[in-house]
Amino acid sequence: MTTETTNRMDLVFRKLKAEGRTALIPFLTVGDPDLETTLAIIAELEAAGADILELGVPYSDPLADGPVIQRASTRALRGQVNIRTCMETALKARQAGSQLPFILFTYYNPVLQMGLDNFFAELDAHEISGLIIPDLPIEEAEDMRSRSRAAGINLVPLVAPTSSERIARIVNGASGFVYCVSSLGVTGERSSFHEGVDAFIQSVREATDLPVAVGFGISTGEQVARFAKICDGVVVGSAIVRKVEDVIPLLDSPSTRQAGLLQIREFVAQLKP
Ligand SMILES: O=P(O)(O)OC[C@@H](O)[C@@H](O)c1c[nH]c2ccccc12
């Protein structure tokens, strides 16, 4: 008897699979340019067809991030955004009617600062469905995985093209989906991907029954469509964060705010697979 899941993310992947569709998974830096605007952007992303949302906790030392997300983190940190206010933003979006599963995307240090017991209690209270921690030390992974499982939250593992023989160990016991990083290096729009990325994704597919998503460098509708043929989800971050950055002057003025939000919606809508 399969255990009935109430995890919003699992339900979305199940529905998309039944419809033969691929999830569009935007990444957004929470608090860029401010928390209230983030709430408005979340609504635009949902209207544009996003299926799941990565809510990025701004961090002072985002070692895996390229310049676009680094700048977004800097802007958000100027507004004193922290991991708690990111969780509160997720809850406010839910209370405003968002149906999207939220993944809290955070580096490990803010989690440690909060304390693991506190962190997981807060995650649950703020209706977070998933968690990605790109710099989670492998020796902490088992503890974090069991805490996530106990809290009913999917700790999503990242696998890189260089993971090869470690793929089985990384995906074993994982939940939610497996995040295949398409290229080496840091986040940021790319015109090409790690050679052999398709074979890499196929090897991950063979190692797990979980949905498999890909991210890193994907920034156009045709790149999303290319990966949608072989994945259950496609993550787009920097291209969307850059679009937010580009329209900040419009967002900052009440008379042009709606026009700025519409540009974000239209950009994301044309990514939809
Ligand atoms: O920004 P890109 O190139 O579209 O890649 C997705 C990425 O933004 C998001 O998933 C992410 C943001 N920071 C990260 C750090 C590591 C791995 C992934 C991420």
Side-chain angles (χ1 to χ4, degrees), residues 27 54 64-65 69 105 107 132 134 158 179 181 186-190 215-219 235-239 241:
F27 166 92
E54 282 186 16
D65 282 300
I69 293 179
F105 189 105
Y107 285 90
I132 297 180
L158 295 171
Y179 186 143
V181 173
V186 297
T187 60
E189 304 99 314
R190 285 164 166 81
F216 256 59
I218 301 166
S219 61
V235 179
V236 178
S238 297
V241 174

